[in-house]
Amino acid sequence: MTSERPKVVLTDYVWESLEMEEKLFAYLDDDLIAINCKSREELLDAADGAEVLLNTYFAPLDRSLFEELPALKMIARYGIG
């Protein structure tokens, strides 16, 4: 078992505060990286080594992107609707 904290990347968000998310992921002992991606390259840089992607609207998330992020274990749509 590794001692490193899991890395979770929030690809984009539209709300003003991330207080709830920061508290939750601190409680879970995960590292939350919240960015507002503008490009594929920006996402790849931020998500290097990430185990989880939380995605609100950023697109495209496609097979070639996933192949460049081999540590990913989960991708989830983050939002309502």
Side-chain angles (χ1 to χ4, degrees):
M1 183 167 217
T2 181
S3 63
E4 289 185 36
R5 294 168 56 153
K7 182 177 178 180
V8 178
V9 174
L10 175 57
T11 64
D12 58 307
Y13 55 97
V14 294
W15 46 95
E16 292 181 23
S17 172
L18 293 173
E19 182 179 355
M20 180 180 68
E21 288 83 356
E22 290 166 348
K23 285 180 181 178
L24 172 65
F25 286 100
Y27 173 78
L28 295 172
D29 202 28
D30 294 340
D31 283 330
L32 175 64
I33 310 252
I35 57 176
N36 271 312
C37 288
K38 303 293 185 225
S39 70
R40 175 188 178 87
E41 292 73 27
E42 184 178 10
L43 176 57
L44 287 171
D45 287 343
D48 185 39
E51 294 183 14
V52 177
L53 282 184
L54 300 176
N55 183 60
T56 305
Y57 296 115
F58 182 79
L61 297 178
D62 57 20
R63 180 184 205 116
S64 65
L65 181 95
F66 303 148
E67 289 171 348
E68 293 188 57
L69 299 170
L72 277 179
K73 296 179 181 175
M74 183 176 85
I75 300 145
R77 165 72 170 89
Y78 192 65
I80 57 173

